[in-house]
Amino acid sequence: MKKPLNIVFPLYPGVTQLDFTGPWQVLARLPDAQLIAASIGGKTVESEGLHFSSLQSLENLTGCDVLCVPGGGGCTDAMQDADFMEQIKRLASKATYITSVCTGSLILATAGLLKGKRAGCHWMYLDTLAWFGAVPVSERVVRDGNIISGGGVTAGIDFALTLVAELADEAMAQRIQLGLEYAPAPTFNAGHPDVAPPEIVNQLMSNMAALREQRRQVIAEISQISF
């Protein structure tokens, strides 16, 4: 019997659910894959009104083939959680692939896993990866050796299909894509500041200014740079 491919998603309060449910939907269709959602102590995790329960305990996992760290508004708290970060480092040390979606790459960076490595992140915090010695790359999916990272939230699906092609082959990835009818056709061309109308970018940046500044300050303190 073929050994199951263990894929672990470490969850934390304030995680963006689509950062892991998008990849989960794709990877769940990969034959022989065993997906595991886990948190510190197996505690229920809340995400924008959704509650994820019956989680496994991160501390009890002996290892994984793929570590997939999602991002979210709670990532800065997770970055400062010694217990959580200890488990990230431990699992990453044994993983064949170390991966992330959105600001999950900041968690990997905090763990010291991205020094000198190319990585993606949500565009609003992409530049902060450099504070940890990483090389920020503005692409949907970024690969550097065994490290694969997705950009913002919805890039998680592209990331997962890329990972399937790596773990199996491109034909498998395409079959899963077809089965999910993943044929992006955005209603508006406003998914990135490079293409969104300037007034929309300005409005969002204005609405997010206080929170963005606060989070960047916390990230700076974690990375120990002058902000």
Side-chain angles (χ1 to χ4, degrees):
M1 182 177 293
K2 189 174 180 180
K3 178 183 176 182
L5 183 74
N6 289 319
I7 303 175
V8 171
F9 290 82
L11 307 186
Y12 51 87
V15 67
T16 294
Q17 62 86 11
L18 191 56
D19 279 9
F20 80 90
T21 56
W24 185 290
Q25 185 66 64
V26 172
L27 295 168
R29 298 193 174 203
L30 181 63
D32 302 312
Q34 177 177 291
L35 277 59
I36 300 170
S39 63
I40 292 295
K43 294 180 180 178
T44 295
V45 167
E46 190 274 337
S47 172
E48 298 178 316
L50 296 176
H51 293 79
F52 297 91
S53 59
S54 300
L55 303 176
Q56 293 196 38
S57 172
L58 278 172
E59 301 94 318
N60 292 341
L61 300 180
T62 57
C64 62
D65 298 297
V66 180
L67 178 65
C68 183
V69 183
C75 78
T76 48
D77 288 334
M79 291 157 69
Q80 299 173 86
D81 185 328
D83 292 338
F84 182 82
M85 293 306 302
E86 179 182 352
Q87 301 309 317
I88 295 297
K89 294 175 184 177
R90 181 181 64 83
L91 291 169
S93 71
K94 301 178 181 180
T96 304
Y97 294 95
I98 301 169
T99 71
S100 65
V101 176
C102 200
T103 53
S105 58
L106 287 171
I107 292 175
L108 295 182
T110 300
L113 300 168
L114 298 185
K115 291 180 180 178
K117 300 291 186 178
R118 300 168 70 252
C121 189
H122 189 284
W123 63 265
M124 197 172 288
Y125 301 100
L126 177 64
D127 65 315
T128 66
L129 284 173
W131 301 352
F132 297 88
V135 180
V137 179
S138 180
E139 294 177 2
R140 292 284 285 180
V141 182
V142 182
R143 178 170 185 177
D144 193 328
N146 71 330
I147 295 175
I148 307 175
S149 51
V153 181
T154 60
I157 294 177
D158 300 290
F159 148 79
L161 289 170
T162 300
L163 183 58
V164 168
E166 173 69 21
L167 296 172
D169 53 41
E170 289 188 6
M172 174 65 72
Q174 291 178 48
R175 287 196 296 273
I176 292 175
Q177 178 180 0
L178 180 59
L180 295 174
E181 197 177 349
Y182 179 54
T187 304
F188 306 105
N189 189 23
H192 191 277
D194 289 348
V195 297
E199 64 273 17
I200 298 299
V201 176
N202 292 335
Q203 289 170 11
L204 178 62
M205 292 298 287
S206 177
N207 293 342
M208 297 290 293
L211 177 60
R212 180 172 182 266
E213 187 71 7
Q214 179 186 21
R215 293 187 71 188
R216 289 172 67 87
Q217 178 65 57
V218 173
I219 295 169
E221 292 173 356
I222 295 170
S223 67
Q224 298 182 335
I225 71 159
S226 298
F227 184 67

